[in-house]
């Protein structure tokens, strides 16, 4: 098999994951997109490891060892990420990333609709 096939598939996987990270609003879908990107990297590591081991006649397989480390890190990232998303969902009632921006310092807890009652009061007094 040529090296171009896994490289093109890896590029497609990475671009799909990048689109998912940039376009999605749900935190769980963003985590799944990050996993796609990590799997694209894993595919490249294994493909280049096989290609280089055939060329150099070595049996070290360092690309496959790095892939195992990446899989372990990805599993830990998903576990911690899902725990954070569940904790935020329990506290805020949503996992929409755009609606969670009010957690930053200096913002009111009610969000952009918090000045609606003030506008109603101003209309009632006028």
């Amino acid at each position: 098999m040529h090296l171009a096939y896994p490289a093109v598939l890896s590029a497609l996987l990475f671009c799909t994951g990048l689109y998912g990270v940039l376009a999605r609003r749900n935190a769980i879908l963003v985590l799944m997109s990050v996993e796609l990107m990590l799997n694209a990297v894993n595919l490249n590591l294994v493909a280049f490891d096989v290609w280089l081991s055939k060329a150099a006649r070595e049996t070290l397989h360092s690309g496959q060892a790095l892939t195992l480390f990446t899989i372990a890190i990805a599993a830990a990232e998903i576990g911690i990420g899902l725990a954070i998303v569940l904790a935020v969902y329990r506290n805020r009632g949503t996992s929409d990333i755009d609606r969670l921006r009010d957690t930053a310092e200096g913002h009111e807890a009610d969000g952009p609709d918090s000045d609606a009652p003030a506008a109603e009061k101003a209309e009632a007094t006028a």
Side-chain angles (χ1 to χ4, degrees):
M1 180 191 302
H2 291 76
L3 184 61
Y5 297 133
V8 168
L9 179 63
S10 169
L12 289 174
L13 276 175
F14 192 84
C15 289
T16 303
L18 185 64
Y19 173 75
V21 166
L22 295 176
R24 300 292 178 201
R25 293 184 178 172
N26 190 346
I28 295 175
L29 292 178
V30 171
L31 287 174
M32 289 174 60
S33 298
V34 169
E35 286 296 316
L36 270 178
M37 292 167 61
L38 286 173
N39 284 331
V41 171
N42 287 341
L43 181 62
N44 261 339
L45 282 172
V46 171
F48 278 100
D49 177 56
V50 168
W51 182 65
L52 289 174
S53 67
K54 284 181 182 178
R57 306 268 191 253
E58 65 181 46
T59 58
L60 185 59
H61 297 297
S62 58
Q64 293 178 13
L66 284 173
T67 299
L68 289 176
F69 284 118
T70 307
I71 290 171
I73 290 170
E77 176 252 337
I78 280 295
I80 292 171
L82 284 177
I84 291 170
V85 168
L86 285 175
V88 167
Y89 182 78
R90 285 182 184 164
N91 289 335
R92 296 286 178 176
T94 184
S95 63
D96 188 7
I97 294 174
D98 290 336
R99 296 185 72 197
L100 294 175
R101 291 187 182 171
D102 63 347
T103 59
E105 287 186 35
H107 288 108
E108 295 180 11
D110 294 334
D113 295 332
S114 62
D115 41 331
E120 291 174 4
K121 289 178 187 176
E123 290 176 9
T125 58

